[in-house]
Amino acid sequence: MSIKLWTDVNLLTMAEGDRPYGLIKNATLVSDGEQIVWVGQNNDLPDHFVGETIYCKGSYMSPGLIDCHTHLVYGGNRIDEFEKRLTGVSYEEIAAAGGGILSTVEATRAASEDDLVKTAKKRLATYMQEGVTTIEIKSGYGLDVENEIKMLRAAKKLGRISGIDVIPTFLGAHALPPEYSDNRAGYINLIINEMLPIIAKERLADVVDGFCENIGFSPQEIEKIFKAATKLGFKLKLHSEQLSDQKGATLAAKYNALSADHLEHLSIDSILEMKKSGTVAVLLPGAYYTLRDTVIPPIEELRRAQVPIAIGSDCNPGSSPVLSLKLMINMASTLFKLTPEEALAGVTRNAAKALGLDDRGILKKGLKADMVLWDIEHPAELSYQIGGNQTLKVIKGGDIIFARDK
Ligand code: NIG
Ligand code: FE
């Protein structure tokens, strides 16, 4: 085991309590291998920790960032649709005409697993340099057994080769594939009877997601999938209330889903159900911005109900061609009026909750030594600054995986 003393640092521990950001000034964090073994003020550091000392010169350190909602693995791009949308054609109109998600399905089916890994690896590198140490990646552009498996394998491989943790999520219910265009029930049965059992058996994902929307799947269709997935031991998530109120979040809560995501059109009754079930509200400002939505999620109501709020990038070629979780911290504050502290909690502590991971997201003894050392003078600078390189060091499991001079 290798002990490291990260000393002379201001820790944004993000532990809940009275202190904003769980701040400990003039602090030391001790990591032993992949774990944090001590956190506290420099003066209180016990003598028995002996190891490599890394002087942090009064910089701020936060938990490693966690992106809890991405579609990072995909083939092709959707630049043509971007240009169409600029002339007034809507996301729904493009989807109804067979474009949108289905155009990425065509490109993803045509790509090999290696192609998918290669293109996604480039995107992932940008995230890592910005401080991301855990990232969720959904399938959902394959929409048949072979191609959904190919996407999940590509996601898993990225986890093995990148040095950060990739959490794969199965999103078979993302869109109706063209070969089932007049047989919706047939596709739901394919998901339930073929895809879910193989994915469970080969342990390709632990979480199942769906797109509950007019242009996606109805709550009734999603419920069938949720029932089958629950029986097989999967955890659940749901894209809900992005474009209209389908009561998807109420359904997610009924099945104790980890999170309901998007939520621009979320209603009060769904919020209360989410509170009861501990379902995290994942907000995706990149999709809101790209689609020029005008309705923001009900932030004040979520706050009042004390539903944990997480922020994701939703990286995907259609509704959120975003490669920066850092920018999402800014947008969560600027567009959704989250406080800088709430925004940072959204990509650390609450993002971990949205993935069902209780071993990270806070700087605390016993949790993973995933950290970021920042070139900032105040924690709110993480929300305030647009662009620029604010990371000094990105640390994964006690090892520096990215460093930049001040
Ligand atoms: O989270 N809303 C559905 N799924 C993605 C968009 C996928 C796409 O447009 O390719 C989302 O925004
Ligand atoms: Fe999404």
Side-chain angles (χ1 to χ4, degrees):
M1 282 293 165
S2 88
I3 294 198
K4 289 178 187 155
L5 296 92
W6 309 83
T7 196
D8 192 15
V9 69
N10 292 318
L11 293 176
L12 306 167
T13 68
M14 301 315 286
E16 281 178 284
D18 298 337
R19 282 169 292 127
Y21 299 91
L23 177 66
I24 310 177
K25 285 210 139 193
N26 307 317
T28 296
L29 180 151
V30 184
S31 60
D32 186 351
E34 294 195 350
Q35 265 202 357
I36 299 172
V37 291
W38 192 85
V39 165
Q41 290 204 295
N42 293 331
N43 294 340
D44 299 332
L45 178 69
D47 306 331
H48 62 84
F49 289 119
V50 181
E52 183 189 350
T53 301
I54 297 122
Y55 293 96
C56 301
K57 301 177 191 162
S59 301
Y60 282 96
M61 179 183 269
S62 76
L65 305 188
I66 300 172
D67 196 338
C68 63
H69 183 139
T70 87
H71 308 251
L72 192 93
V73 167
Y74 60 81
N77 65 63
R78 304 242 289 277
I79 298 162
D80 54 337
E81 286 175 19
F82 170 68
E83 291 188 316
K84 269 193 202 137
R85 281 204 311 276
L86 295 178
T87 67
V89 187
S90 74
Y91 184 66
E92 289 101 316
E93 283 163 347
I94 289 168
I101 294 172
L102 289 185
S103 92
T104 302
V105 170
E106 206 181 314
T108 305
R109 286 180 176 180
S112 69
E113 188 181 315
D114 283 350
D115 293 338
L116 294 177
V117 171
K118 206 166 144 196
T119 48
K121 194 174 157 215
K122 273 201 334 212
R123 295 177 200 124
L124 192 57
T126 322
Y127 278 89
M128 289 166 60
Q129 291 178 12
E130 280 199 335
V132 171
T133 51
T134 299
I135 191 165
E136 185 252 18
I137 302 181
K138 301 175 195 297
S139 67
Y141 294 123
L143 308 186
D144 60 23
V145 176
E146 179 194 336
N147 287 293
E148 284 296 300
I149 288 179
K150 179 177 77 182
M151 287 191 73
L152 292 170
R153 288 213 175 110
K156 286 212 138 190
K157 182 152 187 205
L158 282 165
R160 288 196 300 275
I161 63 177
S162 66
I164 68 166
D165 290 328
V166 170
I167 313 294
T169 295
F170 170 58
L171 177 57
H174 197 193
L176 195 62
E179 56 283 10
Y180 282 90
S181 60
D182 51 8
N183 182 11
R184 301 187 66 87
Y187 185 59
I188 304 291
N189 285 337
L190 181 77
I191 292 177
I192 293 174
N193 299 327
E194 295 192 38
M195 294 185 186
L196 287 176
I198 296 179
I199 289 160
K201 185 163 163 253
E202 297 194 14
R203 312 210 55 181
L204 291 168
D206 295 330
V207 187
V208 168
D209 195 348
F211 184 24
C212 186
E213 194 51 71
N214 289 323
I215 59 168
F217 295 89
S218 68
Q220 293 73 24
E221 290 168 331
I222 296 288
E223 184 156 18
K224 286 188 184 144
I225 296 168
F226 274 6
K227 272 192 183 143
T230 304
K231 271 200 199 126
L232 290 168
F234 285 103
K235 291 176 271 180
L236 306 171
K237 285 179 163 287
L238 192 61
H239 286 68
S240 24
E241 280 72 76
Q242 180 187 12
L243 309 168
S244 61
D245 184 10
Q246 304 271 322
K247 303 283 176 231
T250 295
L251 177 67
K254 180 175 165 193
Y255 284 84
N256 293 313
L258 292 171
S259 70
D261 303 38
H262 284 287
L263 306 178
E264 278 80 352
H265 298 269
L266 182 67
S267 64
I268 304 290
D269 42 323
S270 289
I271 293 179
L272 299 178
E273 296 306 317
M274 288 172 72
K275 172 63 186 166
K276 276 193 233 152
S277 60
T279 302
V280 176
V282 175
L283 309 184
L284 305 168
Y288 168 89
Y289 168 80
T290 302
L291 300 182
R292 307 178 67 157
D293 206 335
T294 49
V295 180
I296 70 164
I299 307 296
E300 195 43 50
E301 289 78 1
L302 286 166
R303 260 188 206 126
R304 214 173 300 136
Q306 294 181 315
V307 172
I309 298 175
I311 309 294
S313 72
D314 198 14
C315 168
N316 76 69
S319 66
S320 190
V322 164
L323 289 181
S324 171
L325 189 59
K326 262 306 311 299
L327 179 59
M328 298 304 103
I329 301 177
N330 168 268
M331 284 190 178
S333 292
T334 310
L335 300 175
F336 293 168
K337 300 194 175 69
L338 260 61
T339 66
E341 186 183 356
E342 286 172 331
L344 187 58
V347 293
T348 54
R349 184 179 74 231
N350 291 341
K353 270 192 200 147
L355 294 174
L357 302 172
D358 55 13
D359 62 352
R360 67 195 76 190
I362 301 176
L363 299 179
K364 185 174 122 181
K365 181 180 167 182
L367 301 202
K368 277 190 185 279
D370 294 354
M371 293 96 74
V372 188
L373 201 61
W374 298 101
D375 185 11
I376 54 173
E377 280 164 27
H378 188 285
E381 215 175 316
L382 295 174
S383 272
Y384 161 81
Q385 180 77 46
I386 304 172
N389 297 323
Q390 291 175 306
T391 46
L392 289 172
K393 286 187 174 59
V394 182
I395 301 132
K396 175 70 192 164
D399 290 328
I400 297 172
I401 58 167
F402 178 75
R404 174 187 349 251
D405 289 335
K406 198 166 177 167

